[in-house]
């Protein structure tokens, strides 16, 4: 053993857990890993070298080798596995010990676990971590929630391993209860929306313009040097330059066109509905992942519901530029929806979220990091209580300047018969949000007609009912 007692224990030595342990070790902390899989334990011990890091296979040994009060982080799949690990731990823990859930747990589960453990004197933090395996090793964005004093106990560790932007760590205390996992959930919802938009640009250039993978690689590289700069564009450019060892083809061309999900995007959409916050760009991204899995039905429908395959006849370079500007508009709109949801959740759930701080810690380490977050950070510096980012003078001006490109892309997609629901939802949201009149008065009338649900008037306060038909 390299140390008699370790400052933190990590349960779950998959890629994320193992890399977080090594990250902590590289920053001078002593960390003990535990996993029932001997191969993963051996991998950690081999990679640890001279670091104050070790791995064990027995839970009892793991518990005994931790400093008291114990700090234990879980990096296991969300849901029942978390509860199973907590159940095993409770047999060995003492009051004052701390469990940190670093996985993608549902925020309501986190709050229930925290309340249950609090009754036993065990502290609990729900901590969202974004950045993938590379971020876990070199610096992720970290989103902690729970009791402030408990967070302060591990604050130095989290700040040391987090990504740094302008010398500032991409971690901050977010709020009580499940605030950390809630923010991570919305982060993932925004991620769904951005990925859908990028995928639609790919489809429009590949099927619509007939561009090959080399051209796509160059275009996404170029876009990543513009205002659309961000991690997702960076990796998209790299994807198109990778080859498949088995076939020699570009790897992207041998990947099945079905994309599953682990639930965080769906949770975001469902919770937004509970809050009455419209997030159509996220909703449609979740729906399109679901639709992609209907491969057999899509293939059958393509033979029956034929499109005729119209050809693009415009200026390719001009359309590619419109695509880039439409993508940036869609990014602004998707972030606007996500931050509007965070604003509402902050008030409804008592999280007291600082949206400016969230924008700051998302600038580095996380999957949705993008140059746009600097503009969002500036917007909240101008007005901290901004209800929607589209109301910021600069971002609002930007998105309206780009609206023509967004419209061009939506219209061209419809002509070509190539689905672009992310762009369509973004344009519809923008036009609806900026409209001082919507046809909801007709919906009120319809509801009152068939269900006596009443309606409100423009000239008198109160609710009213009308006898719409003498036959009712």
């Amino acid at each position: 053993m390299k140390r008699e007692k370790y400052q933190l224990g990590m349960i779950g030595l998959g890629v994320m857990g193992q890399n977080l342990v090594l990250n902590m070790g590289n920053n001078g902390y002593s960390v003990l890993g535990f996993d029932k899989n001997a191969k993963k334990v051996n991998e950690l011990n081999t990679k640890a070298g001279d670091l104050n890091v070790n791995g064990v296979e027995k839970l009892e040994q793991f518990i005994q080798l931790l400093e008291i009060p114990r700090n234990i982080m879980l990096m296991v799949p969300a849901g029942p596995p978390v509860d199973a690990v907590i159940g095993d731990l409770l047999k060995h823990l003492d009051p004052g010990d701390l469990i940190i859930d670093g996985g993608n747990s549902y925020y309501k589960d986190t709050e229930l676990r925290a309340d249950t453990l609090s009754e036993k004197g065990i502290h609990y933090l729900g901590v969202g971590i974004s950045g993938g395996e590379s971020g876990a090793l070199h610096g992720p964005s970290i989103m902690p929630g729970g009791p402030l004093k408990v967070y302060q106990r591990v604050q130095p560790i989290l700040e040391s391993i987090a990504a740094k932007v302008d010398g500032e760590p991409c971690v901050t205390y977010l709020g009580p209860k499940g605030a950390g996992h809630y923010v991570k959930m919305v982060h993932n919802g925004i991620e769904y929306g951005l990925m859908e938009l990028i995928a639609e640009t790919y489809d429009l250039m590949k099927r619509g313009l007939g561009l090959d993978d080399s051209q796509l690689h160059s275009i996404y590289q170029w876009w990543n040097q513009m205002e659309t700069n961000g991690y997702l564009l960076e990796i998209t450019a790299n994807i198109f330059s990778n080859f498949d060892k088995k076939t020699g083809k570009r790897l992207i061309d041998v990947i099945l066109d079905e994309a599953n999900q682990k639930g965080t995007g769906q949770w975001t959409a469902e919770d937004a509905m509970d809050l009455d916050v419209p997030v159509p760009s996220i909703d449609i991204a979740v729906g399109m992942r679901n639709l992609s899995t209907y491969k057999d039905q899509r293939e059958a429908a393509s033979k029956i519901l034929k499109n005729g395959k119209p050809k693009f006849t415009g200026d390719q370079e001009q359309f590619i530029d419109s695509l880039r500007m439409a993508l940036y508009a869609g990014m602004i709109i998707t972030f606007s929806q996500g931050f509007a949801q965070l604003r509402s959740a902050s008030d409804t759930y008592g999280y007291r979220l600082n949206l400016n701080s969230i924008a700051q810690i998302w600038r580095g380490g996380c999957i949705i990091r993008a140059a746009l977050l600097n503009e969002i950070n500036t917007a909240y510096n101008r007005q901290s209580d901004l209800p929607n980012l589209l109301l910021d003078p600069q971002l609002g001006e930007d998105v309206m300047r780009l609206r023509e490109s967004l419209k061009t892309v939506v219209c061209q997609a419809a002509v070509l018969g190539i689905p672009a629901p992310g762009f369509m939802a973004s344009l519809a949201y923008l036009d609806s949000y900026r409209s001082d009149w919507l046809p909801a008065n007709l919906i009120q009338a319809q509801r009152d007609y068939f269900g006596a649900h009443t309606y409100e008037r423009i000239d008198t306060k109160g609710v009213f009912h009308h006898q719409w038909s003498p036959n009712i």
Side-chain angles (χ1 to χ4, degrees):
M1 290 297 168
K2 300 176 183 179
R3 184 184 173 101
E4 291 186 6
K5 297 288 184 178
Y6 291 81
Q7 293 165 287
L8 185 137
M10 177 71 70
I11 295 182
L13 297 178
V15 173
M16 286 292 289
Q18 186 179 117
N19 282 356
L20 283 169
V21 169
L22 295 172
N23 188 345
M24 293 175 190
N26 284 327
N27 280 280
Y29 291 95
S30 61
V31 189
L32 183 66
F34 166 75
D35 202 295
K36 293 179 180 178
N37 187 324
K39 182 180 178 181
K40 292 179 180 178
V41 172
N42 291 333
E43 282 179 2
L44 174 63
N45 289 334
T46 299
K47 292 179 180 179
D50 295 330
L51 297 177
N52 239 329
V53 165
N54 202 7
V56 296
E57 300 171 45
K58 294 183 178 180
L59 185 59
E60 293 79 3
Q61 183 184 17
F62 172 78
I63 294 294
Q64 291 169 2
L65 290 171
L66 295 178
E67 289 182 356
I68 296 175
R70 302 174 183 89
N71 300 314
I72 299 173
M73 177 175 277
L74 314 184
M75 288 303 297
V76 298
V82 176
D83 292 315
V85 172
I86 292 174
D88 289 341
L89 281 173
L90 282 177
K91 305 167 189 174
H92 308 282
L93 298 186
D94 300 309
D97 288 346
L98 166 63
I99 297 175
I100 305 165
D101 181 3
N104 277 333
S105 288
Y106 185 44
Y107 77 99
K108 289 185 178 179
D109 291 343
T110 297
E111 294 180 359
L112 179 60
R113 289 168 186 146
D115 289 342
T116 302
L117 290 169
S118 178
E119 296 173 0
K120 303 177 186 297
I122 308 297
H123 302 303
Y124 196 77
L125 293 176
V127 178
I129 300 176
S130 177
E133 59 183 279
S134 177
L137 181 61
H138 301 292
S141 177
I142 305 176
M143 294 154 260
L148 175 58
K149 288 186 177 180
V150 177
Y151 164 69
Q152 290 170 339
R153 179 164 139 184
V154 291
Q155 181 178 354
I157 300 177
L158 298 183
E159 288 184 348
S160 70
I161 68 170
K164 308 295 188 298
V165 174
D166 299 330
E168 294 294 321
C170 291
V171 56
T172 189
Y173 174 72
L174 292 173
K177 302 186 291 185
H181 276 147
Y182 190 92
V183 171
K184 178 55 165 48
M185 178 188 77
V186 175
H187 164 286
N188 285 19
I190 294 171
E191 178 185 303
Y192 273 58
L194 299 180
M195 291 173 71
E196 174 63 25
L197 291 170
I198 295 171
E200 290 175 15
T201 65
Y202 158 57
D203 197 8
L204 285 164
M205 288 191 285
K206 181 179 177 65
R207 288 199 291 170
L209 305 184
L211 302 188
D212 62 30
D213 295 328
S214 294
Q215 291 171 306
L216 290 167
H217 168 69
S218 298
I219 288 169
Y220 286 120
Q221 271 195 326
W222 168 44
W223 287 4
N224 196 44
Q225 298 171 35
M226 310 290 281
E227 69 270 36
T228 42
N229 166 271
Y231 175 73
L232 285 170
L233 267 187
E234 176 189 328
I235 66 170
T236 299
N238 291 340
I239 284 169
F240 286 97
S241 65
N242 275 259
F243 287 86
D244 176 40
K245 293 179 180 178
K246 181 178 179 181
T247 63
K249 298 178 180 178
R250 299 284 176 127
L251 182 57
I252 185 66
D253 297 322
V254 298
I255 296 176
L256 186 66
D257 60 323
E258 295 184 31
N260 294 312
Q261 57 166 316
K262 290 188 175 180
T264 47
Q266 181 175 325
W267 294 343
T268 305
E270 290 172 348
D271 197 79
M273 289 186 182
D274 289 339
L275 293 170
D276 296 328
V277 177
V279 292
S281 299
I282 297 171
D283 293 339
I284 199 63
V286 175
M288 288 305 291
R289 287 207 194 181
N290 292 337
L291 184 56
S292 76
T293 65
Y294 287 75
K295 178 70 172 175
D296 292 343
Q297 291 185 36
R298 289 191 290 112
E299 288 180 342
S302 71
K303 295 179 176 64
I304 299 170
L305 309 173
K306 295 181 180 179
N307 184 36
K309 295 185 179 179
K311 294 183 178 180
F312 179 81
T313 57
D315 184 308
Q316 277 202 2
E317 288 190 11
Q318 190 174 20
F319 182 67
I320 290 170
D321 205 41
S322 292
L323 263 179
R324 175 182 59 81
M325 291 188 284
L327 175 60
Y328 189 54
M331 290 171 64
I332 295 173
I333 291 166
T334 302
F335 272 107
S336 296
Q337 293 171 18
F339 274 95
Q341 181 171 350
L342 290 172
R343 167 74 64 197
S344 178
S346 179
D347 296 336
T348 303
Y349 304 142
Y351 290 154
R352 303 187 295 277
L353 298 175
N354 184 323
L355 302 190
N356 188 19
S357 295
I358 294 172
Q360 283 185 308
I361 67 171
W362 283 354
R363 293 180 303 157
C366 73
I367 302 301
I368 63 172
R369 62 185 185 266
L372 174 57
L373 280 158
N374 290 313
E375 303 304 318
I376 293 173
N377 187 219
T378 301
Y380 284 121
N381 279 331
R382 278 192 287 263
Q383 184 180 343
S384 61
D385 62 346
L386 194 66
N388 190 300
L389 287 168
L390 296 181
L391 296 178
D392 174 71
Q394 186 58 58
L395 287 172
E397 180 183 326
D398 288 345
V399 82
M400 288 306 296
R401 172 175 54 82
L402 299 166
R403 184 187 174 278
E404 191 63 30
S405 295
L406 189 55
K407 185 180 75 172
T408 296
V409 168
V410 167
C411 291
Q412 189 62 66
V415 169
L416 294 172
I418 294 175
F423 284 113
M424 292 175 178
S426 297
L427 178 61
Y429 177 84
L430 173 61
D431 286 346
S432 298
Y433 190 73
R434 70 190 185 94
S435 178
D436 63 356
W437 183 87
L438 291 172
N441 56 331
L442 177 57
I443 294 173
Q444 280 207 71
Q446 290 170 330
R447 294 182 72 244
D448 189 52
Y449 194 118
F450 67 68
H453 294 296
T454 72
Y455 61 90
E456 295 176 87
R457 299 179 58 91
I458 61 174
D459 53 4
T460 308
K461 288 186 179 292
V463 293
F464 303 88
H465 171 62
H466 178 68
Q467 191 70 29
W468 295 94
S469 169
N471 298 324
I472 298 178

